[in-house]
Amino acid sequence: MKLTTTTLIPLLASLISTSTAIDLTVGNVDSVCDAATDIIKGIMDYYEGDRYGGTVGMFQQPYYWWEAGLVFGGMIDTWKICNNYTYVSTIQNAINHQRGDYNDFNKVQNQSDVEANDDQVFWGFTVMEAAERNFPSYSNNSDDPNYAQLALNVYNSMAPRWDNETCGGGLRWQILKNMSGWNYKSEIANAGVFALGARIARYSNNSELVLSSNRILRWMKESSFITQPDGENYYNVYDGSNIVNDSCPVINGAIWSYNYALMTMGTSYLYSATGNDYWSNELDKFLSGIEHYFINPNSTDILYEYQCSVWGTCNNDQRAFRAIVANSLGNVAQLVPEYKDRVLKIINASAKGAAASCSGGSDGVTCGKDWSTGSWDGLYGLGEQISALEIIQNTVITDLELPCTDKSCGVEFDNSTYVTIPIPTTTIYLTNTNTVTETSYVTVSSDSNIFYTA
Ligand SMILES: *[C@@H]1O[C@H](CO)[C@@H](O)[C@H](O)[C@H]1NC(C)=O
Ligand SMILES: *[C@@H]1O[C@H](CO)[C@@H](O)[C@H](O)[C@H]1NC(C)=O
Ligand SMILES: *[C@@H]1O[C@H](CO)[C@@H](O)[C@H](O)[C@H]1NC(C)=O
Ligand SMILES: *[C@@H]1O[C@H](CO)[C@@H](O)[C@H](O)[C@H]1NC(C)=O
Ligand SMILES: *[C@@H]1O[C@H](CO)[C@@H](O)[C@H](O)[C@H]1NC(C)=O
Ligand SMILES: *[C@@H]1O[C@H](CO)[C@@H](O)[C@H](O)[C@H]1NC(C)=O
Ligand SMILES: *[C@@H]1O[C@H](CO)[C@@H](O)[C@H](O)[C@H]1NC(C)=O
Ligand SMILES: *[C@@H]1O[C@H](CO)[C@@H](O)[C@H](O)[C@H]1NC(C)=O
Ligand SMILES: *[C@@H]1O[C@H](CO)[C@@H](O)[C@H](O)[C@H]1NC(C)=O
Ligand SMILES: *[C@@H]1O[C@H](CO)[C@@H](O)[C@H](O)[C@H]1NC(C)=O
């Protein structure tokens, strides 16, 4: 993702029509799939892969490569929920064309000069979704890796970027040294490895990967990327920190929903993988954070983007973040029974609001940004479409069987080659957002010193 800020562009009045809206009965599969048909039609209006001269797997500008991965991941769930094969080959072709020469979505043609860790990991989630939903293979060539192997390749490409030479650990935002975010340790890059590792841990029942994800979480806390305010049950999940003199002294306190979403995703998978209350307790604090920050105060239980929505400053990337939140709340609903009603309350209310917002444009079913007004707010784009699709289809997510594992899916999965985040062997630089001038040090040499080994 990039640092551009694009303000919201209102749709021209001439395009406004008074025709139909999306009529949704939440929790009803037929109604959800009817809505999905309308919304995906809107999504495909932006798809360039089936246009003359267009690139397979890409949406038109200004939508970046990562968002394409996000959209196809959502459409994999639509396929499963609706048992509708219309877009199966579109999704297969997109994955096949974008998986890169090394089958790890790294150094992908046309992206290699700009690709960052967060971009890569969103395609990792796409293929993990395909693995967990048993999506039809993109290739009949037995030399081509299966979806789970592609996801593991993404993980194995990213985890070695853990950089314990600065800030006591963490991935940098960028992959390339010459990009401006190289000097930034970003929460999203680390939350991405955390969550993808968690999903692979559950998929392959790999306890080493559970520990590895836990080390990432502990590092986030020790370096104040994640803090718990005194007397509160929620976490603040901050955006990251510039590297200054090899440490991360000043946290960028921006609160973005996609960071919460990936931590929610990861902790719910780790709970499912281990059955350990440690993980449901962690999840509780991320969920509490979503409830604290991302519910529109003008509504009951309707999601919005806290950091930019009110000011109308959400850029194209940020306008898709609620899709990631919706997806992760669906993970909770499926994997953590004790929090199912808690997240479905948000999903249900937001889905109703989103459906009501899908009443704009010349087709009369173009989705808007504000889900709290009961109508279309004049804003539109790929982010609005995929966010509406995800929140609406997640009202029926618990009808699906659980995400499968290599065993339950009957898939061959080589679990012998995976990279783990190293146990810290050195001094960790502790910093604190509220007292940036105070730093302290702790020397650790094993998991048990600083990391829970749960
Ligand atoms: C969400 O909506 C479904 C379908 O109407 C309903 O069965 C379920 O009880 C709702 N859940 C919550 C927590 O509101
Ligand atoms: C399957 O999806 C396509 C495209 O979204 C839609 O036109 C079609 O009506 C759907 N089929 C069924 C049986 O719902
Ligand atoms: C890179 O761009 C070229 C030219 O537009 C296109 O033909 C090719 O398919 C693209 N490669 C990928 C992996 O998208
Ligand atoms: C950054 O480095 C990569 C790989 O070394 C190179 O391909 C790319 O052109 C460079 N980008 C800029 C903006 O200098
Ligand atoms: C693989 O082969 C099956 C059976 O011939 C066919 O239905 C399917 O479309 C093929 N898949 C791909 C991705 O080519
Ligand atoms: C970084 O981790 C590696 C692998 O565990 C270890 O050998 C090295 O000493 C660590 N370096 C620092 C500065 O902590
Ligand atoms: C997962 O691994 C543990 C040992 O680490 C084992 O006890 C358990 O039976 C395994 N679960 C499955 C579903 O294979
Ligand atoms: C890898 O899979 C094999 C066979 O299922 C299992 O015995 C082994 O414990 C697994 N290894 C790890 C590290 O999960
Ligand atoms: C970084 O280190 C240099 C050299 O030791 C020092 O002059 C500078 O003030 C330090 N910067 C910060 C922000 O601490
Ligand atoms: C809540 O509604 C008021 C009045 O319409 C509006 O000014 C404000 O921006 C809304 N807040 C949000 C978060 O939508």
Side-chain angles (χ1 to χ4, degrees):
M1 281 169 235
K2 301 191 190 144
L3 282 166
T4 53
T5 321
T6 322
T7 42
L8 301 169
I9 312 155
L11 200 60
L12 294 176
S14 62
L15 289 176
I16 296 171
S17 98
T18 51
S19 65
T20 53
I22 285 179
D23 182 22
L24 177 72
T25 307
V26 299
N28 177 290
V29 173
D30 291 337
S31 174
V32 164
C33 293
D34 285 348
T37 293
D38 283 339
I39 296 171
I40 292 177
K41 188 167 177 299
I43 285 175
M44 296 310 286
D45 286 345
Y46 298 106
Y47 188 56
E48 62 164 60
D50 49 16
R51 292 182 199 157
Y52 179 75
T55 297
V56 172
M58 289 294 286
F59 288 82
Q60 70 189 39
Q61 287 180 356
Y63 303 111
Y64 295 134
W65 181 73
W66 82 274
E67 193 166 343
L70 177 74
V71 169
F72 293 122
M75 286 170 66
I76 287 170
D77 280 2
T78 316
W79 157 79
K80 186 78 173 186
I81 289 165
C82 303
N83 191 29
N84 184 325
Y85 281 71
T86 305
Y87 292 109
V88 164
S89 63
T90 302
I91 299 165
Q92 289 171 330
N93 292 340
I95 291 171
N96 191 33
H97 196 66
Q98 295 298 329
R99 65 188 150 116
D101 293 341
Y102 308 97
N103 291 313
D104 59 2
F105 296 92
N106 187 25
K107 298 182 179 162
V108 174
Q109 189 188 15
N110 309 331
Q111 309 301 327
S112 60
D113 287 356
V114 292
E115 190 178 336
N117 280 305
D118 48 353
D119 301 308
Q120 186 183 4
V121 83
F122 275 101
W123 278 94
F125 293 133
T126 309
V127 285
M128 198 66 216
E129 198 75 36
E132 291 169 345
R133 301 292 185 206
N134 226 347
F135 188 68
S137 178
Y138 68 94
S139 167
N140 284 328
N141 179 347
S142 59
D143 291 340
D144 284 332
N146 63 33
Y147 291 121
Q149 211 68 50
L150 288 175
L152 180 64
N153 291 350
V154 172
Y155 181 84
N156 281 339
S157 150
M158 294 182 70
R161 297 185 192 133
W162 185 262
D163 161 38
N164 59 3
E165 302 295 325
T166 60
C167 311
L171 272 73
R172 293 162 186 266
W173 179 25
Q174 297 294 325
I175 299 169
L176 298 170
K177 285 190 168 73
N178 57 6
M179 296 283 287
S180 65
W182 168 254
N183 212 30
Y184 189 72
K185 292 260 163 107
S186 75
E187 174 64 21
I188 194 66
N190 290 283
V193 182
F194 171 80
L196 188 58
R199 289 173 73 160
I200 297 170
R202 178 183 175 278
Y203 185 81
S204 59
N205 194 28
N206 184 325
S207 56
E208 287 296 322
L209 285 177
V210 174
L211 277 179
S212 190
S213 280
N214 199 24
R215 290 181 198 127
I216 301 174
L217 174 61
R218 294 294 299 163
W219 173 79
M220 290 170 178
K221 290 187 189 176
E222 296 302 345
S223 52
S224 295
F225 282 40
I226 294 176
T227 65
Q228 184 172 0
D230 285 345
E232 301 290 354
N233 187 44
Y234 61 84
Y235 280 145
N236 285 328
V237 182
Y238 299 119
D239 191 69
S241 171
N242 278 317
I243 301 165
V244 182
N245 285 350
D246 292 343
S247 75
C248 282
V250 183
I251 301 290
N252 168 2
I255 299 273
W256 293 108
S257 68
Y258 72 160
N259 288 319
Y260 283 81
L262 294 192
M263 296 312 293
T264 296
M265 175 191 288
T267 45
S268 53
Y269 272 90
L270 288 166
Y271 177 71
S272 177
T274 62
N276 192 323
D277 288 350
Y278 169 73
W279 289 113
S280 52
N281 289 332
E282 290 295 323
L283 168 61
D284 180 28
K285 294 176 200 150
F286 292 113
L287 272 183
S288 296
I290 290 177
E291 290 159 348
H292 181 74
Y293 285 111
F294 300 107
I295 302 298
N296 187 324
N298 287 354
S299 78
T300 305
D301 297 325
I302 296 181
L303 291 165
Y304 82 138
E305 192 62 43
Y306 168 81
Q307 193 71 47
C308 59
S309 198
V310 182
W311 322 111
T313 54
C314 305
N315 69 24
N316 281 315
D317 288 338
Q318 293 150 4
R319 288 159 64 183
F321 287 177
R322 277 180 302 177
I324 312 164
V325 177
N327 184 259
S328 73
L329 294 178
N331 295 151
V332 178
Q334 276 215 288
L335 298 172
V336 190
E338 69 180 290
Y339 296 143
K340 178 180 158 185
D341 285 347
R342 183 172 169 190
V343 295
L344 275 176
K345 199 156 77 81
I346 298 172
I347 294 172
N348 281 356
S350 299
K352 281 180 200 159
S357 90
C358 295
S359 53
S362 53
D363 60 359
V365 288
T366 294
C367 301
K369 191 200 69 165
D370 191 335
W371 293 347
S372 72
T373 66
S375 61
W376 184 52
D377 61 357
L379 302 170
Y380 65 100
L382 186 57
E384 281 73 16
Q385 294 299 120
I386 186 58
S387 296
L389 177 68
E390 283 281 24
I391 199 73
I392 287 170
Q393 70 186 7
N394 272 289
T395 65
V396 294
I397 202 73
T398 55
D399 291 358
L400 294 186
E401 57 203 277
L402 294 187
C404 69
T405 64
D406 55 353
K407 288 198 181 65
S408 67
C409 250
V411 167
E412 206 176 302
F413 184 69
D414 176 5
N415 67 1
S416 61
T417 51
Y418 57 88
V419 181
T420 55
I421 301 304
I423 295 169
T425 55
T426 187
T427 298
I428 290 193
Y429 209 149
L430 298 183
T431 60
N432 186 298
T433 7
N434 301 319
T435 55
V436 290
T437 52
E438 276 176 40
T439 53
S440 57
Y441 299 86
V442 58
T443 301
V444 293
S445 56
S446 75
D447 268 345
S448 58
N449 279 26
I450 191 164
F451 296 121
Y452 300 130
T453 49

